[in-house]
Amino acid sequence: MIEIREKDFSTDDVLREIKSEGIGAIVYFIGVVRGGIKEVNIRCQKEIAERELERLEKQAIKRFSVEKVFIILRKGNLKVTENITLIAVAAKHRQAAFDACEFLIDSIKGLPSVQLEEIR
């Protein structure tokens, strides 16, 4: 599942969606606006970003043999301690979930359709 939105997300909601009988591990990554800045402005070309994220989701599933991937990316002005992104990966085994999550984190950071501006 891919979602780009302005409102915050609930990890509990994602957990209910991603859990299933064949899953042995679920790995989360939550990106948060860190201190030392005033806020972060995240802009994206939504349709292009959604396609890029869907491509990464499919790559992660195929490359790491994971069962499910959820990616939620927030846009707009976000303050310190607010959530920016959630990546959740469900797999039969933990190592595959960790590896896929790391791949997704690194890949999403470099997407040209998503711009992050720190406001100091």
Side-chain angles (χ1 to χ4, degrees):
M1 179 192 95
I2 304 299
E3 189 173 343
I4 298 174
R5 63 184 185 180
E6 291 185 24
K7 67 178 184 156
D8 202 4
F9 49 81
S10 163
T11 56
D12 290 338
D13 290 345
V14 173
L15 183 59
R16 277 190 288 279
E17 290 289 324
I18 203 166
K19 253 186 178 178
S20 67
E21 194 172 298
I23 301 300
I26 298 169
V27 172
Y28 279 100
F29 170 81
I30 300 171
V32 178
V33 179
R34 68 180 174 276
I37 60 173
K38 191 173 180 180
E39 64 184 41
V40 169
N41 182 12
I42 301 169
R43 296 181 309 277
C44 71
Q45 299 165 329
K46 189 174 180 189
E47 296 79 20
I48 296 170
E50 285 173 342
R51 283 196 304 270
E52 291 173 339
L53 292 171
E54 286 169 0
R55 178 182 51 79
L56 291 173
E57 173 190 30
K58 289 175 185 170
Q59 282 181 347
I61 289 169
K62 183 177 180 180
R63 180 174 171 187
F64 300 98
S65 298
V66 297
E67 305 299 315
K68 297 179 186 176
V69 171
F70 277 49
I71 301 170
I72 300 173
L73 177 64
R74 293 185 63 202
K75 63 180 186 171
N77 289 335
L78 304 175
K79 306 278 187 234
V80 172
T81 73
E82 285 192 277
N83 296 324
I84 299 171
T85 189
L86 171 110
I87 299 169
V89 179
K92 291 179 182 173
H93 305 286
R94 71 183 184 313
Q95 193 60 57
F98 277 111
D99 292 345
C101 191
E102 183 177 32
F103 163 77
L104 290 165
I105 294 163
D106 293 341
S107 299
I108 289 169
K109 266 192 110 165
L111 291 179
S113 62
V114 178
Q115 296 86 38
L116 186 142
E117 175 191 9
E118 294 182 355
I119 301 167
R120 298 193 179 268

